Amino acid sequence: MAVKIRLARRGRKKASTYDIVVADSRSPRDGRFIEKLGTYNPHTNPATINYDADRAFYWMMTGAQPTDTVRAMLSYRGVLYRRHLQLGVDKGAITQEVADQRFDAWKQEKDAKIEGKRTGLVDAKEEARKAALAAETKVKEARAENLRQKQAALLAANAPAPAAEEAADAAEAPAAEATEAAAE
């Protein structure tokens, strides 16, 4: 019986999540399985992979074959590296303590990379939000200035008519006085 570590689809249409399962290779994709190792959600950034690392390691050591996608996930999370180190211990190339130290160092480095990506994405999202807010404020100020200019032009168009009449009356008054003085 060939045993595979593979994904079983769950969730609704266009919002899928997957279970990481150990199953007989002859059983259907979403059918019977031997053991559920964890879950995988590809819709988050970075993708969320929750699984039991010890059980995945156990199944890898007993000969279960992962599919390509699961192999990439297990490699990303360190199960394949741990298996590689354990095979070295079994052959006598290194000791268990050295293997554990190497794996712990690798795991810390990988966790730092993942956390750096998460914080980078959060920072980028925050900066994009601030940039959008600044652009929106700039557009709002431009619209307000445009409205003020239109209102000032409207007031100027309405206000000069009475002022022009007063100026015309004022210009006529000295001219009338000048004609009266010239007539006398």
Side-chain angles (χ1 to χ4, degrees):
M1 173 172 96
V3 177
K4 293 267 190 187
I5 302 175
R6 63 184 182 195
L7 298 176
R9 190 179 193 280
R10 299 283 181 253
R12 64 181 195 270
K13 182 177 177 181
K14 296 188 180 180
S16 60
T17 59
Y18 297 90
D19 290 336
I20 303 169
V21 296
V22 177
D24 181 5
S25 62
R26 296 170 292 183
S27 64
R29 178 191 72 177
D30 299 335
R32 194 171 67 181
F33 58 88
I34 299 169
E35 182 178 357
K36 179 181 173 184
L37 298 178
T39 59
Y40 166 63
N41 184 1
H43 298 292
T44 59
N45 192 3
T48 306
I49 304 169
N50 296 321
Y51 71 102
D52 185 355
D54 292 331
R55 291 304 294 171
F57 176 72
Y58 165 77
W59 281 105
M60 289 293 295
M61 291 303 290
T62 56
Q65 295 297 311
T67 60
D68 293 338
T69 305
V70 174
R71 180 179 299 278
M73 286 189 289
L74 295 178
S75 175
Y76 179 75
R77 301 300 283 175
V79 174
L80 294 182
Y81 184 61
R82 185 174 166 199
R83 178 178 177 267
H84 170 74
L85 292 173
Q86 188 61 42
L87 290 175
V89 169
D90 292 346
K91 291 180 181 177
I94 58 174
T95 63
Q96 186 65 45
E97 293 80 28
V98 172
D100 291 340
Q101 289 173 355
R102 287 183 185 175
F103 181 72
D104 290 339
W106 181 89
K107 186 74 170 161
Q108 288 174 355
E109 182 181 326
K110 188 66 169 184
D111 289 342
K113 273 186 182 177
I114 293 170
E115 190 58 36
K117 182 176 181 181
R118 276 196 192 116
T119 57
L121 290 171
V122 169
D123 292 344
K125 187 175 182 180
E126 182 67 23
E127 297 220 3
R129 188 187 67 78
K130 286 181 181 179
L133 183 63
E136 185 178 328
T137 304
K138 188 176 181 180
V139 168
K140 180 181 172 184
E141 290 172 355
R143 286 181 183 165
E145 182 61 31
N146 191 11
L147 183 62
R148 274 186 251 139
Q149 289 176 356
K150 284 183 180 180
Q151 288 176 345
L154 184 63
L155 287 175
N158 291 338
E165 291 174 6
E166 291 175 9
D169 290 340
E172 290 175 7
E177 290 177 13
T179 47
E180 286 178 21
E184 286 178 19

